[in-house]
Amino acid sequence: DFIIMPLFALANTAIIFPNQLGHIVSSPITIGVFLGLLLGKPIGILLFSFLSTKLKIAALPDNTSWKQMTGVGMIAGIGFTMSIFISVLAFSNIEAQDIAKIAVLAASTVSGILGYTFLSRLAKKRSSSTISS
């Protein structure tokens, strides 16, 4: 599942990589989509989780910390399938769609790596502090 589903999703996105990637990196579409997934989703998840707990609408699960919620927020930046779908709806120009799709792919990759790294280091710290006590 961890390999097949991402490959299936990627194969069905119809991303066409241009020969020159330079203009894609500096495109406002790339910057907006990338930062929206990388920063916007984690900030939104943390903000609404925090507000929900303060308003007593929800509670953090037992043995869950805000640091763990931060890591989950980071991983939520993966949002690949829906982000691709929204990109296709948002832009009528095929080139703009491709730029947005490439930005989604890049942000999803970076979000997954950052979230995994953050949570795995957090887990190692928790396990080492449990062993020492």
Side-chain angles (χ1 to χ4, degrees):
D1 285 346
F2 295 117
I3 300 295
I4 298 301
M5 290 299 290
L7 287 176
F8 178 76
L10 182 60
N12 285 302
T13 59
I15 297 175
I16 299 170
F17 290 94
N19 295 333
Q20 303 274 330
L21 291 176
H23 74 285
I24 292 176
V25 174
S26 61
S27 168
I29 295 171
T30 302
I31 295 166
V33 170
F34 189 85
L35 293 177
L37 288 172
L38 192 68
L39 298 176
K41 285 184 82 174
I43 290 169
I45 288 169
L46 283 172
L47 178 65
F48 282 98
S49 297
F50 181 76
L51 288 174
S52 296
T53 57
K54 290 300 175 191
L55 295 172
K56 302 203 185 300
I57 296 170
L60 282 180
D62 293 338
N63 301 318
T64 302
S65 69
W66 284 106
K67 286 183 180 180
Q68 290 171 318
M69 288 296 292
T70 301
V72 169
M74 289 177 178
I75 289 177
I78 291 174
F80 185 81
T81 308
M82 191 53 65
S83 298
I84 294 288
F85 177 69
I86 291 169
S87 296
V88 171
L89 293 177
F91 302 106
S92 57
N93 179 330
I94 299 296
E95 183 181 357
Q97 288 178 2
D98 287 340
I99 290 170
K101 289 175 184 179
I102 292 168
V104 167
L105 183 60
S108 295
T109 302
V110 171
S111 293
I113 291 168
L114 288 176
Y116 173 79
T117 303
F118 183 85
L119 288 172
S120 65
R121 288 184 180 176
L122 187 62
K124 286 178 185 175
K125 284 182 184 178
R126 288 184 109 196
S127 68
S128 67
S129 67
T130 306
I131 293 170
S132 351
S133 38

